[in-house]
Amino acid sequence: MKYALYYYDSCPFCQRVLRVLPNVNVPVEKRNVAQHAHFRNEQYAATHRTTVPCLLIEDGDQQQWMFESADIIRHLQTL
């Protein structure tokens, strides 16, 4: 499994998720949508949303997108 967090720095909900990343047991790639438009475009193409934070979970060819900060934190802490 691969994980990527779509976020931007000034988002308080993103900051909640970013604060827990050092304490989770899996690597999570950080993708700043404010600094890199291609990440924002990639998220929008897949979900038709630009809401952050958004966690992309990739398992082979399958993708799952998770949006709510509390859900993202809860999911990452169970891994």
Side-chain angles (χ1 to χ4, degrees), residues 2-4 6 31 42 54-58 63-65:
K2 291 170 41 178
Y3 300 90
Y6 291 73
R31 298 182 178 177
E42 179 180 281
C54 179
L55 182 68
L56 169 60
I57 305 164
E58 292 184 294
Q63 293 184 338
Q64 178 184 352
W65 297 81

Side-chain angles (χ1 to χ4, degrees), residues 11-77:
C11 167
F13 298 104
C14 297
Q15 289 301 317
R16 287 180 64 198
V17 177
L18 290 167
R19 280 195 298 274
V20 302
L21 290 186
N23 302 316
V24 300
N25 295 322
V26 295
V28 178
E29 178 186 349
K30 293 183 275 185
R31 298 182 178 177
N32 190 320
V33 299
Q35 292 180 349
H36 304 283
H38 67 278
F39 288 144
R40 182 178 50 252
N41 296 338
E42 179 180 281
Q43 177 187 343
Y44 184 77
T47 67
H48 296 279
R49 293 175 62 179
T50 57
T51 308
V52 291
C54 179
L55 182 68
L56 169 60
I57 305 164
E58 292 184 294
D59 187 6
D61 292 339
Q62 293 187 326
Q63 293 184 338
Q64 178 184 352
W65 297 81
M66 184 179 295
F67 283 96
E68 296 297 323
S69 60
D71 293 340
I72 293 169
I73 291 168
R74 193 174 313 108
H75 178 76
L76 291 173
Q77 288 176 332

